[in-house]
Amino acid sequence: MPGKEEIRKLRKLSQQLAYTSIQMHEAIGRKAGMSGTDHKYLGFLLQQGEMTAGEFSTITGLTTGAVTSLIDRFEKKKLVKRQPDKTDRRKVIIVPDTEKITKLFKPLYEDFQHSTEKQLATFSSEELKVLERYFLTAIEIMNHKIETIHQEQ
């Protein structure tokens, strides 16, 4: 069982990783002409595909007003378009322009992806399984915290 010092060291490294990730995504976002936060929210649309503004609000945790402003900014850059829902005209579907988004961000990520793939290739299969278990359980813990906060509101 790890000691308190080992756990403290790993928690500090985890925090540093999170902070450095924020800084990197902010730099990439700025290079692409948006904030790092907008860039990451655009990633939700890229991963999930088209969805209603309400669904986007739910998965991001943003208010509907904030989602409207965010979509306005993406639409202005022609990265998404709004289209009426064919089954319910009261709803609007947000459709990401995957090709345009990929074209914008691919050059900004290629070297990073190459470096991380190279780094991961240095680990054994067993070590990769440990990393996978860490990430999966860390995500689970964070999702639980998010749910707990939402239930308290």
Side-chain angles (χ1 to χ4, degrees), residues 9-141:
K9 183 179 176 181
L10 286 174
R11 288 184 65 79
K12 290 289 249 181
L13 284 171
S14 181
Q15 286 174 337
Q16 188 59 49
L17 176 65
Y19 298 149
T20 305
S21 178
I22 291 168
Q23 291 170 319
M24 182 190 76
H25 290 296
E26 186 63 32
I28 288 171
R30 293 282 175 209
K31 186 79 172 174
M34 64 187 71
S35 73
T37 306
D38 282 7
H39 151 248
K40 292 309 295 173
Y41 285 129
L42 189 59
F44 276 105
L45 283 169
L46 199 56
Q47 257 189 355
Q48 302 289 323
E50 61 184 57
M51 65 183 76
T52 66
E55 290 167 335
F56 193 52
S57 175
T58 299
I59 67 165
T60 61
L62 295 172
T63 65
T64 53
V67 164
T68 299
S69 296
L70 183 62
I71 298 306
D72 287 346
R73 292 191 297 275
F74 292 158
E75 198 171 41
K76 188 175 180 183
K77 293 181 180 300
K78 300 186 184 332
L79 298 173
V80 303
K81 65 180 176 185
R82 289 176 166 105
Q83 70 183 40
D85 186 321
K86 292 176 180 122
T87 59
D88 184 348
R89 292 192 43 104
R90 295 170 295 175
K91 291 182 183 179
V92 173
I93 305 291
I94 310 306
V95 182
D97 186 333
T98 306
E99 189 175 310
K100 190 166 189 170
I101 296 167
T102 301
K103 186 177 179 182
L104 177 64
F105 285 104
K106 188 176 181 182
L108 300 173
Y109 272 103
E110 278 182 322
D111 62 332
F112 176 72
Q113 287 180 321
H114 175 73
S115 296
T116 55
E117 286 173 11
K118 195 173 170 181
Q119 176 203 29
L120 289 170
T122 67
F123 292 97
S124 70
S125 292
E126 292 79 24
E127 289 171 321
L128 289 174
K129 286 177 185 166
V130 170
L131 288 171
E132 180 183 23
R133 183 169 54 99
Y134 168 77
F135 285 123
L136 289 171
T137 56
I139 291 166
E140 202 174 283
I141 291 167

